[in-house]
Structures are given as structure tokens and as C-alpha cells.
């Protein structure tokens, strides 16, 4: 079965076929680095990460580009307020985005920054002016003449028949029912950052940035453009208009938009006190793997209700996956194989692929994996598993984790990094006891834990129970829970 994705441009689910048979060129709108990213932003970034991983797993070579918007209205305003350059202001939040992405297991795409493409944007605008799609105003700003692009509105499906020809808007973000000529280039204002270019001094509008950077990296026509649903209009609508006006070619063939989330059933907002960054959640003691898992549970086009009960359930799900892997890899099994287990592994891989081919249905893929866990755990409890069953079962869970990325138990060092950051930023009051318990304990690598367990077991067999108990106490102090099971000793981190 071919991958089928909902295409915002056509308004329906379509089979995905790239321009080049085995090569996918995709672009995603990344962060505007004026503050720390919130969990709504990261729901989108994780959805695109899942798509990227699945395309690659499906055999495509993927060139995945994401922009970092490091100049826009908010950045200009905030940097002027703080008396620093745009580059100085955005450096902190760009680094924070990269760190938070890595914390959540997001694979890094090719990153492009708006401020490194200013001259190319000016040249793009000059060409639009030559073609009559852009015009210069008395102050030296340039606007896109949307009345000249007859297909304006084809992405958002809005009816702009009554729009006022020549009415202009120069802010980057504006009301969704507005249809006015939008700013491509903004003349400098006193105290604002600006660049000297072939079309004069100033700075780019937000919309032109993505058109220039995506086309520079991927060509005038590419396969897939992704982002949050809030970008459909005006941002992506404007990208299409200016890009296709310049080239006369279709800009992007498929448009992939993730829905934003609710928090405890309400729209996230600072005024409601339910606005959370990734760092806010980790400061409360929640593991990065739990956050990633929760943000993948609901398919990207469905509304996700982010709750703290759901975050606790996500932690439990991740723990079950990790314990399952430990159980398979730590126990000794009798020789041989059972066809039921081999078949189950193959069926699970097939079900996961079928679910993800169906418009990236993550919920169904996760359900298939947990159905396998339930059946295998039953076989383990009944001592029915054989040595040669392990390899195909591990292969199935490895396929699963290539997409979902939560099996590696690296939460503690990631949380320790946030703990150190909070202390450096003077945010000690926000550090929870839960974070201190997980991240504040002395860190042991997996191999160190296994070595101590081996020594503990050797001491126990030698009936040196004092030494055995001392080693167990060391592990407990380091946040390691040791469990004695009928399959042998196993461990997990708090």
C-alpha cells in the first residue's frame, strides 16, 4: 500500500507520489525564535519528525529542510526593547529550540536561517516587481499585489471575491478574514534593525522568507510543505502566491498541517495559566520520553487534549515498552522457535506500516505494538517463548522505535541538563522535587548499572549479603530500581 496523506491543497486524502520516484523533498516551517517553544509548537515539529522518519523507513531518500525565522515583527520589537542586535537576541532562543528538539528526540533537518538569505530575498522581490506582482511604496517598502494572482485562496479555501484592491497590511500576522496586499519588504523605522540591499534598506516580511529559502534548497517545485494549522492562512497562502507568481510553476504538491492542541480541554494561553514550554514540563519532573509519547498518541490531524493524567499514562506506556525490551534481552530461553511468535512479529510490522500509510495513523500503529506486547508477555508468563522467537520480536519493536523514538533510556541526562539550565537562569523556585529525584542523583551509565548488578548477583551467590545489600543501596541512591523476577534480575530508572 502506498502512503496516503491528507493534502490541504486538494482537501482530501491522496496517495503520495514524489516528483522524483524515490526521492522526497520536504520543507517545514520551523520556529520563530523570540521565546522558548511551547508544547503546541512541538506537537507540530514531532508530527513532521514522524513523517520524515516514516518516509525514510519506507525506502525514500529524503531531503528535509526547516527554516528558523530569526527576523520578524516580534523579534525586531523585542531586540529593540532589550537594546541588543537581532542576532544577539535570537541566538539564545535558537539554541534553546535545538536543545529542546534534541531533548524530545526530534531528528535535526537541514536548518536555514532567514538572516542568512536577505540578499536572495531582495532579488526575489525585485523579480516580482519586474513581473508586476510587487510594487514599491513611497517609503521604500514593497507589497505583493494579490489581485493579480487569480488563484489566491486556493489553499485556505477562503472566498476573497470582495477584497479591496490595493488595501495593504504590513504586519506579519493578521486577522484570518483579512485579504490585503501583504508586505514583502519593510522600509526601516528609527531604532529598528535593517539591511542594505539591491532594493534599498529594510528587512523582509515574514512570508517571503520561506519562499526564498525553500526554493533555494529544494527547487522551484518540491514535494511536501509542512507546518501547523495556524499557518494555512495567511502565511502559506502568501507563500504560494508569491512563489508561483515568480516561477509559473506549482510551488509544493502536498501540504501537511498538524492541528494545535488543547490543554486540559482549553485553548492554551498565558492568561489561563495553561501555557507550557517543554522546559516547564521537565521542571515539574516529567520525562522527555513521556512528553514525546503523549504528543504522538493522537493522529496529527485530530485534536489532542494534553492533560497531566495523560502525561502520567504516557510515562507508564514508555515504561512498559522499555521493560518489555529488557525482559526479552535479559532472560534465557530454551532453544527452538514457535511459529506463532514469528508470525506475530511479522503481522505487527505489517499492521504498523498499514496504519502509518493511512495518513500517519499513529494511534493504530501504537495499538498494534501494544497488542504484540500483551500476547508476548502472556507467552513469557507461561514460559512458552523460545530462543529464536526473540530476534523477530526485537526486530518488530526496533521498526516501531525507528518512528516513535522512546526506547532509549536517556531521560536522566536530558533532565539533568534542564536542572542545570534552571539553576543558571535563576529559576530554582520552579525546580520540583520530582526533577531533583530523577536528575539530581548521581548518574550511572547503563553499563555501570549492569556491572554493579553483576557484582551484586555474585555477592549474593557467595552469600555475602552485606556486600549485595550495599550495592543495591548504591543503585537505589542513583535512582535505579532493581526488581527480582522469575526471569531474573531487571532494573529501571525512576
Amino acid at each position: 500500500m502506498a502512503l496516503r496523506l491528507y493534502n490541504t491543497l486538494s482537501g482530501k486524502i491522496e496517495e503520495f507520489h514524489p516528483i522524483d520516484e524515490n526521492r522526497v523533498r520536504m520543507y517545514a516551517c520551523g520556529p520563530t525564535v523570540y521565546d522558548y517553544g511551547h508544547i503546541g509548537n512541538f506537537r507540530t515539529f514531532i508530527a513532521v519528525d514522524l513523517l520524515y522518519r516514516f518516509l525514510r523507513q519506507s525506502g525514500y531518500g529524503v531531503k528535509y529542510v526547516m527554516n528558523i525565522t530569526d527576523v520578524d515583527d516580534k523579534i525586531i520589537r523585542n531586540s529593540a526593547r532589550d537594546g541588543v542586535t537581532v542576532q544577539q537576541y535570537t541566538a539564545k532562543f535558537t539554541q534553546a529550540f535545538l536543545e529542546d528538539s534534541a531533548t524530545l528526540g526530534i531528528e535535526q533537518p537541514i536548518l536555514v536561517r532567514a538572516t542568512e538569505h536577505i540578499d536572495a530575498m531582495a532579488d526575489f522581490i525585485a523579480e516580482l516587481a519586474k513581473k508586476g506582482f510587487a510594487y514599491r511604496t513611497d517609503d521604500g517598502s514593497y507589497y505583493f499585489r494579490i489581485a493579480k494572482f487569480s488563484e489566491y485562496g486556493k489553499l485556505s479555501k477562503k472566498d476573497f471575491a470582495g477584497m479591496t484592491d490595493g488595501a495593504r497590511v504590513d504586519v506579519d500576522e493578521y486577522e484570518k478574514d483579512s485579504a490585503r496586499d501583504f508586505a514583502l519588504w519593510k522600509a526601516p523605522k528609527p531604532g529598528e534593525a535593517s539591511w542594505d540591499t539591491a532594493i534599498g534598506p529594510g528587512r523582509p516580511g515574514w512570508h517571503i522568507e520561506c519562499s526564498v529559502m525553500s526554493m533555494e534548497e529544494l527547487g522551484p517545485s518540491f514535494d511536501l510543505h509542512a507546518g501547523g494549522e495556524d499557518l494555512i492562512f495567511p502565511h502559506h497562502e502568501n507563500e504560494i502566491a508569491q512563489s508561483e507568481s515568480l516561477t509559473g510553476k506549482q510551488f509544493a504538491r502536498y501540504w501537511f498541517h498538524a492541528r494545535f492542541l488543547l490543554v486540559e480541554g482549553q485553548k492554551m494561553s498565558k492568561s489561563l495559566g495553561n501555557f507550557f514550554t517543554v522546559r516547564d514540563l521537565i521542571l515539574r519532573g516529567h520525562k522527555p520520553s513521556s512528553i514525546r509519547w503523549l504528543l504522538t498518541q493522537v493522529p496529527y490531524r485530530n485534536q489532542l487534549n494534553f492533560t497531566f493524567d495523560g502525561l502520567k499514562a504516557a510515562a507508564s506506556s514508555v515504561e512498559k515498552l522499555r521493560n518489555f525490551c529488557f525482559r526479552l534481552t535479559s532472560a534465557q530461553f530454551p532453544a527452538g522457535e514457535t511459529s506463532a511468535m514469528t508470525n506475530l512479529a511479522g503481522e505487527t510490522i505489517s499492521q504498523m506500516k498499514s496504519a502509518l500509510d493511512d495518513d500517519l495513523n499513529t494511534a493504530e500503529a501504537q495499538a498494534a505494538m501494544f497488542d504484540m506486547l500483551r500476547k508476548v508477555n502472556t507467552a513469557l508468563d507461561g514460559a512458552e517463548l523460545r530462543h529464536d522467537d526473540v530476534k523477530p520480536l526485537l526486530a518488530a519493536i526496533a521498526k516501531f522505535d525507528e518512528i516513535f523514538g522512546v526506547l532509549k533510556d536517556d531521560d536522566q541526562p536530558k533532565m539533568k541538563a534542564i536542572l542545570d539550565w534552571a539553576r543558571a537562569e535563576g529559576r530554582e523556585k520552579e525546580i520540583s522535587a520530582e526533577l531533583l529525584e530523577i536528575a539530581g542523583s548521581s548518574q550511572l551509565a547503563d553499563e555501570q548499572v549492569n556491572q554493579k548488578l553483576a557484582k551484586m548477583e555474585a555477592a549474593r551467590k557467595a552469600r555475602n549479603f552485606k556486600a549485595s545489600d550495599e550495592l543495591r543501596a548504591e543503585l537505589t541512591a542513583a535512582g535505579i530500581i532493581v526488581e527480582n523476577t522469575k526471569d531474573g534480575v531487571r532494573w529501571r530508572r525512576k
Side-chain angles (χ1 to χ4, degrees), residues 380-414:
L380 284 165
D381 292 340
E384 298 170 3
L385 207 69
R386 297 293 178 263
H387 179 272
D388 292 344
D389 296 335
V390 173
K391 186 176 179 179
L393 292 169
L394 288 175
I397 200 165
K399 278 277 187 187
F400 178 82
D401 201 55
E402 283 178 5
I403 307 300
F404 291 96
V406 294
L407 278 181
K408 185 178 180 182
D409 191 355
D410 57 0
D411 290 301
Q412 187 187 32
K414 290 176 176 179

Side-chain angles (χ1 to χ4, degrees), residues 36-46 104 259-263 268 274-281 291 294-295 304 306-308 311:
Y36 295 103
H38 59 68
I39 54 175
N41 300 139
F42 278 99
R43 192 211 179 178
T44 296
F45 300 144
I46 286 176
L104 293 181
R259 290 198 71 179
F260 264 13
L261 48 74
L262 300 175
V263 176
M268 185 170 60
N274 66 353
F275 183 96
F276 299 109
T277 68
V278 172
R279 296 176 185 223
D280 292 335
L281 296 177
I291 301 168
L294 181 55
L295 294 177
L304 166 65
F306 187 101
T307 69
F308 285 96
L311 202 48

Side-chain angles (χ1 to χ4, degrees), residues 7-110:
N7 186 355
T8 308
L9 186 62
S10 66
K12 61 185 180 183
I13 292 177
E14 301 178 14
E15 281 197 1
F16 178 76
H17 296 291
I19 297 168
D20 299 329
E21 186 175 351
N22 294 312
R23 180 170 172 255
V24 175
R25 290 171 290 157
M26 61 183 281
Y27 180 89
C29 283
T32 301
V33 284
Y34 70 97
D35 204 344
Y36 295 103
H38 59 68
I39 54 175
N41 300 139
F42 278 99
R43 192 211 179 178
T44 296
F45 300 144
I46 286 176
V48 181
D49 181 61
L50 295 177
L51 176 61
Y52 169 55
R53 287 166 176 252
F54 184 58
L55 286 167
R56 193 177 56 197
Q57 189 183 81
S58 299
Y60 291 109
V62 185
K63 185 174 183 181
Y64 169 27
V65 178
M66 175 184 281
N67 77 296
I68 291 180
T69 296
D70 56 356
V71 56
D72 86 327
D73 288 346
K74 292 185 291 291
I75 291 168
I76 293 288
R77 182 175 62 246
N78 292 357
S79 62
R81 176 199 66 198
D82 294 351
V84 296
T85 67
V86 164
Q87 289 80 2
Q88 289 171 327
Y89 182 82
T90 58
K92 171 183 176 180
F93 297 116
T94 299
Q95 185 61 32
F97 167 72
L98 297 176
E99 292 170 356
D100 291 349
S101 294
T103 295
L104 293 181
I106 295 173
E107 296 194 18
Q108 186 170 307
I110 298 167

Side-chain angles (χ1 to χ4, degrees), residues 216-235:
E216 188 170 293
E217 291 288 337
L218 302 173
S221 295
F222 54 92
D223 299 301
L224 189 145
H225 196 310
E229 64 175 340
D230 60 318
L231 300 181
I232 296 172
F233 184 85
H235 185 50

Side-chain angles (χ1 to χ4, degrees), residues 26 48 94 109 114 116 126 131 192 198 224 243 263 270 290 334 337 357 378 384 405 443 448 473 489:
M26 61 183 281
V48 181
T94 299
E116 295 174 359
K131 290 175 175 283
E192 284 190 349
L224 189 145
S243 302
V263 176
K270 291 182 178 179
S290 306
E337 66 175 336
D357 272 332
T378 299
E384 298 170 3
Q443 297 183 53
Q448 291 175 300
V489 177

